[in-house]
Structure formats: C-alpha cells, structure tokens
Amino acid sequence: MSVDGWNTVLVLGGIRSGKSEFAESLVTDAPVVRYLATAPEGDPEDTEWATRLAAHRARRPGSWTTEETTEDPRRLADVLASAEPNETLLVDDLGGWVTVLLDPEHQPADDVATIAELAEAIRTCSARLVLVSPEVGLSLVPTTPLGRAFTDALGAANRAVADACDTVVLVVAGQPVWLKPAAGVTAPAVTASGIEPAATASATAQVVASLADTEPTPEVQLPDVLTHTPPVVPNQEPGNPWAAPTMALPMVATGLVIQPGMELPMPDEYAGPQAVERLATLDVPGAGLGVLDRVVGFAAATQGTTTPQAWASVRVLLLHGDHAGGASAGTVAGESARRAAQARAGRGALARLAAESGASLQVVDTPAAAPIEDQPALSLDQVESALRYGWRLAEQAADAGVQLLVLGACGAGTEAAAAAVLAATAGAEPPAVLGRVITGSGEIDDAAWMIRCAAVRDALHRTRRSSRGAKDILAELGGGDVAVASGVLLGATARRVPVLLDGPVGLAAGMVSRDLAGQARHWCLLADHGGHPAVRLAADVLGLTPLLDLRMDLGEGANALVALPLLRSVLALAAALPVHPSLGGDEDPSPSADEADPDVTLDESDFTEPEPAGPGPASTGADEQPTSGWRAG
C-alpha cells in the first residue's frame, strides 16, 4: 500500500461480502501489521461466533501483531493518534467498535463526541491505516430500539470515518467498487445504461496508478517476435469483434503498478451462453460438437459476439528461466538453454508446430531463481519488474493484433516451482502435485523426484510464517518464469486477449494472478492437462475444465499447439454453418431432373463383382483397365 495520497482507506461491505479479505490484501506488502481487533468475545456458548473469530485469526500471518480494543471504545482513537509513520494498522471492524460503544457498561456517554474523536484521530494519523466497517444502510430499518440505535450509530460512524479517510471502497460480492478516489482521479461517468466501460477503465487505471510508490525503473527491451513461416490471416468482415475496446494500461511516471484488488475487464457474460444455445439450431447431421461447445462459448464471451471467429493471429510466448537447487534435480545442465535456442532457430517441436499453425513465436528470458529450500527465489523488486515485464509482453501482443496467446515454459525446475506455488495457494501436498521425473532415455528417476519433493517441502517449512500474498509467494517460491507468466495473464486480461494455457507454469501463474485480479482466470482456456497432477489440481481450483485428454508431453506450449487446429476448426464450423431448415434456415437447392446427366443410366447388370487379385503384381501393362464396382452404360 502506498503513502502517496492513500494513507487511510475505509473498506465497506455487507456480511460475507469479502470486505475483510480485501482489506487484508491491501496490507500484504507491509513487513509488520498491527491488527486492531474491536469485536467482543461474546457469549462463550455461542460457538458460531467463536468460529467466525477463529477464522479471522487464522488468516493473519505470523508476522502480524494483534491488539484488542474492546475494553474502552476511546482506546482506538488513542492508538491511532500515537501510531508512528512507519507503521501499518488494520482495524477490523467498526461494527464491533460501535457494539462496544453502545454497551451499557460504557453508558452514559456522548456517542457523537466519541465518533468525532475517532474521525479526528484518523485525519491526524501518520501511519498507513485501513479500516473495515459493515455497510448496514441498505437493509430494512430494525424493529427493535436496540437495533435502530446500532444502525444509527454505525451509519453516523461510517459517514464520519469516510469523510476523514483519503479513500473509500465498497466491496460487493467480493468485487471492490471505489467510492472515493484519491485526489486527481476522475470518477466513472454514469449514463442511463449504467457506467460507461471506457470511463470505468480510465478511473480504474488512475486508481491503480495513484497507488505507485516504487522508484522509476529503466525500460527492458522486449524479445524479438519470430515468425518462421508467415501466417495466413483470412479476411474478416467489417465490424469484426476484434475491434472491441480494451482497458487502458495503468502507467504513471513511476511505472506500471500491479497489486491485489485490481479491477480488470470480464468476458461478455451473455454472449457465451447465447453462442452455445445457437449451436443447437445449426444444420448438422449428428448431435453437434459435444464437449467442444465450450470452445465456442469461451470464444464468444471473450470476443463479445454470439458468432465468434476462429483465432487468425496467434502468438506463442515461451518463457525460459532456470530454478537452482533441488527443484531442478534430474535435469541435464544446459538442456533448457538448448531448447530455447532451438525454438529461436525455428527447430524443435514447438517451433515447427507454431509454423504449421501460422503462429508467431517469442522466446522470453526470465530471471533465474535461487534455491527455494534455502532462500527466496527472487527479491520483491525482481518480482515487481517481472510482473511489469509480463504485462508489457501482453500489451505488445495486443497492439500487434494478436487474438490468442499461448503460454509455455522450458526452464529447469519449473515443475517443482509450480508445485511449491500450488502447495502455498491451494494447500496441496508436494508429492501429490509433482510429476514423475523422466530422463532423456525415457527412464523414471525416482531419486530425482524425491529430491524435488524434499526441496519443495523445505521451502514450505522455511516460509511457514511468511505472508501468503501473491507477490510474496512469487518472491519466496515462484521465481522469474511464474512471475512473468502472471504478468502476462494480467496484461492479457486488461487488453481482452484470451490465453491458452499449457503446463504447470501457466497454471501456477493462474493461481497467483487470481489473487491479484480475480477476472484473469475467465480469460484462460486449458486445452489438455497432459496427465500432469499439478495441472489437474490447479485447473480444478481455477474452474478450468480441460477440453481434451490426449496425455501428450511435448513440452509446455507444444501440447496446446497440437490442439489449436482442432479448436480453430470448431470455431470456423460454428460460424459458417447455417440454421437447420426446420428452424427457419434456408433449404439448400437440390439439382433438378434437367440438370442430371442424360448419358448415364444404371441397371442391375452394371454392378459386377470385382475380380479377385492374382498372385502377380496389381498391374501388368498400361492398357489394362482398373476393376470397378460399377460402370457407366
């Protein structure tokens, strides 16, 4: 969280809206957080309330400190007033504080004056401060005097605190809505049909950009885009869906800012289901596309039309970055660099499949990761740079007219790093998500597999008290390739470019990007799980159902390219087929009797049995006529 104009934030939300989780995500970057708990313990026999409190305590990292302010409602203002500039405070929540304020033990008291004291303490607080409060103003007026007193007092407190805070956020169904932007941020324009998309994107970009507090970083040159065979791009009709507006890139003088709670676009929620319903009306002789109708629904939602077009311009991003230590056990030194050089030269499975598909190829070198069992894979500064770098790669592709990104990786130790990320984000056991190690000769190396499991286990033990924020996981466990891949997913989401995932690195990036912007996973498609346990688990968590079950293992990215022609064919067929005549479609004209060939007549004698082949060759001379099952009279 930044201190530039955003020292104090009020997070409002209803019950179970996700307001506490969102508030906690705002302070994950802080090394130490003072958590100010305001809720009273309640009735000892109320197990449901005790369970709620326990859940809140379980989410707090071990580096946070917890302070109770339930004894005296005025103590909260004193704590805020005495906080130091280098501290970060999280108050959860003001509903509990108002409950204590109205407690008969603290009456008689001037509630209005106490609320005013709290608001003044927030204005003068020099620390970074996030406050959580329930929004009860949308409910019915309570029928009891005590209920009305609580809602009135909480409403007054929310208004006073919102006026004192720099920023106010309302969380609805887990989605943050910025009510009070910082100075210089323009609120979204509201029309008769709702908030204008362009205004929403612009306001979001300004909000994200205003949070920047990093030093300017020099621009890194993006790698060359390789096209080994010029792609054939079919002509498209005017007004094609690829011209849909995209989100503006949130850039400020200090660079791109990527942080939890980003508001990125979602695919069209109506176009996908309508496109799948349209398939049932097409003139096909059989039952239709089967499970591949999901491809049509995905393409329709991401293109914003019920008749999506096949992806004409495709780019493959091959991320190359090695992981040191036990994560790379069983790999041959220099093998990943050879694979990357092979792809750059247009050789190998990935490059050849890209050429066959008319896809461009971009080989991206990512920072090497340190041994995760001993130390963080990357520094936080490296994570920030890698995320921005990935975003720029996606932006470059969108500016070039790319309609689909294929994400792959070829570094040493990538599977173990992805398994560590899945263990940290989904609670998986390392042996359950680490695939068997196959040597170059096709043999199973159980010793190397055990070393990888031990490395992931030791890394999780080393980070057991660390924050589980997205950037912390990338720094401690993920490494450069997963960080760049996460940036690619976020940037592609911002620019409305779908991504075809393939392999553990892409799925691990999907898990991380989900915690930075929940919209990212809706722009991802998984063609095949490849039989990899980590991909299976991450796909289940992200809600991505593999379209195929081919169990191929040609390397990350190559498996997806094998499936790409099939996916394109499905989209082309769905777009070109007419509606069945029984449902109002045009009937294909049949040839008339006059158009039939009058010189060809058939009778029973025209159908003869073919002569059996003898022991000699099939043909003995140029004058010999081929045997046929029917002949023309």
Side-chain angles (χ1 to χ4, degrees):
M1 198 176 89
S2 170
V3 297
D4 299 331
W6 283 73
N7 255 15
T8 52
V9 181
L10 173 62
V11 179
L12 298 169
I15 299 173
R16 300 296 192 187
S17 64
K19 59 184 182 297
S20 294
E21 291 88 341
F22 177 79
E24 292 165 6
S25 72
L26 295 178
V27 297
T28 53
D29 293 339
V32 179
V33 176
R34 293 175 62 186
Y35 187 100
L36 304 180
T38 63
E41 289 293 336
D43 188 350
E45 297 182 0
D46 190 349
T47 56
E48 194 274 340
W49 179 251
T51 302
R52 286 177 178 244
L53 295 181
H56 276 259
R57 296 189 183 105
R59 285 204 309 264
R60 303 170 201 165
S63 60
W64 291 14
T65 61
T66 302
E67 299 178 33
E68 304 284 347
T69 62
T70 57
E71 296 180 358
D72 183 3
R74 288 184 173 83
R75 184 171 179 271
L76 180 58
D78 296 337
V79 173
L80 300 183
S82 61
E84 298 294 333
N86 61 343
E87 292 185 303
T88 300
L89 279 63
L90 174 58
V91 180
D92 194 356
D93 66 17
L94 294 183
W97 180 78
V98 169
T99 301
V100 175
L101 179 64
L102 298 180
D103 193 304
E105 294 183 1
H106 302 117
Q107 299 296 330
D110 189 348
D111 301 339
V112 176
T114 305
I115 293 174
E117 291 173 5
L118 177 62
E120 184 60 27
I122 293 172
R123 287 191 180 91
T124 59
C125 182
S126 57
R128 297 182 294 176
L129 175 63
V130 176
L131 303 103
V132 182
S133 184
E135 176 52 64
V136 296
L138 302 178
S139 62
L140 298 176
V141 177
T143 58
T144 63
L146 183 59
R148 289 192 293 270
F150 175 80
T151 54
D152 291 344
L154 183 57
N158 285 345
R159 292 181 59 182
V161 172
D163 183 69
C165 286
D166 301 322
T167 307
V168 181
V169 183
L170 175 65
V171 179
V172 181
Q175 304 302 311
V177 181
W178 302 89
L179 303 180
K180 183 181 178 183
V185 177
T186 305
V190 180
T191 64
S193 59
I195 300 177
E196 295 179 358
T200 303
S202 176
T204 302
Q206 296 178 62
V207 167
V208 175
S210 66
L211 289 172
D213 58 6
T214 58
E215 294 296 327
T217 55
E219 289 292 318
V220 181
Q221 185 67 31
L222 297 178
D224 294 334
V225 178
L226 309 174
T227 306
H228 300 296
T229 301
V232 179
V233 182
N235 295 327
Q236 296 189 2
E237 299 178 359
N240 65 78
W242 304 107
T246 58
M247 176 183 174
L249 183 66
M251 296 290 292
V252 291
T254 53
L256 169 65
V257 178
I258 298 176
Q259 68 169 27
M262 299 176 68
E263 278 293 317
L264 300 182
M266 282 283 289
D268 192 317
E269 61 178 319
Y270 301 108
Q274 291 173 357
V276 174
E277 291 177 1
R278 176 181 170 275
L279 295 178
T281 68
L282 299 183
D283 188 7
V284 293
L289 298 174
V291 297
L292 292 179
D293 63 357
R294 294 200 299 268
V295 180
V296 179
F298 174 81
T302 53
Q303 295 180 26
T305 175
T306 56
T307 55
Q309 303 296 316
W311 302 295
S313 179
V314 179
R315 177 170 297 179
V316 183
L317 296 179
L318 180 64
L319 308 182
H320 170 234
D322 291 340
H323 298 255
S328 60
T331 59
V332 179
E335 177 65 13
S336 65
R338 187 183 74 85
R339 292 291 183 188
Q342 192 181 55
R344 287 190 178 97
R347 300 191 306 271
L350 181 68
R352 293 182 182 275
L353 287 170
E356 288 289 335
S357 301
S360 59
L361 174 61
Q362 198 169 14
V363 182
V364 182
D365 290 321
T366 64
I372 58 176
E373 61 268 37
D374 300 325
Q375 62 190 87
L378 299 175
S379 67
L380 286 174
D381 289 340
Q382 288 178 305
V383 170
E384 293 284 356
S385 298
L387 287 170
R388 289 194 293 267
Y389 188 59
W391 188 302
R392 288 178 55 213
L393 288 169
E395 184 193 37
Q396 181 193 48
D399 291 341
V402 171
Q403 300 164 354
L404 178 71
L405 284 173
V406 178
L407 197 56
C410 68
T414 56
E415 294 185 359
V421 171
L422 288 176
T425 55
E429 290 293 332
V433 291
L434 268 172
R436 308 299 293 269
V437 179
I438 309 297
T439 65
S441 59
E443 298 178 350
I444 297 177
D445 190 343
D446 286 333
W449 179 81
M450 288 187 285
I451 294 175
R452 293 185 184 185
C453 289
V456 175
R457 177 203 62 199
D458 293 344
L460 295 174
H461 180 75
R462 179 181 60 80
T463 61
R464 64 191 182 281
R465 299 189 183 278
S466 301
S467 169
R468 286 297 186 245
K471 294 182 181 179
D472 298 291
I473 290 176
L474 290 174
E476 295 286 352
L477 306 171
D481 48 2
V482 181
V484 171
S486 301
V488 168
L489 294 184
L490 295 171
T493 300
R495 298 300 299 270
R496 302 177 185 271
V497 178
V499 181
L500 188 59
L501 299 180
D502 184 10
V505 170
L507 272 297
M511 295 292 292
V512 174
S513 61
R514 176 197 62 168
D515 296 334
L516 292 169
Q519 303 85 359
R521 67 183 181 90
H522 297 283
W523 294 87
C524 297
L525 184 68
L526 180 60
D528 194 352
H529 55 69
H532 200 290
V535 174
R536 288 177 179 270
L537 173 64
D540 184 59
V541 175
L542 294 173
L544 301 177
T545 303
L547 300 171
L548 307 173
D549 188 10
L550 302 180
R551 307 294 180 94
M552 292 184 301
D553 191 9
L554 300 174
E556 290 197 27
N559 304 316
L561 288 177
V562 170
L564 181 59
L566 173 62
L567 306 185
R568 279 173 160 172
S569 298
V570 167
L571 294 177
L573 188 65
L577 283 178
V579 176
H580 195 276
S582 64
L583 299 175
D586 295 333
E587 180 69 63
D588 291 335
S590 301
S592 62
D594 297 337
E595 296 175 346
D597 189 351
D599 297 330
V600 177
T601 58
L602 303 176
D603 55 31
E604 292 184 1
S605 64
D606 292 321
F607 294 91
T608 61
E609 293 292 332
E611 297 180 1
S619 177
T620 58
D623 297 333
E624 184 173 315
Q625 298 297 321
T627 303
S628 173
W630 67 276
R631 65 176 183 269

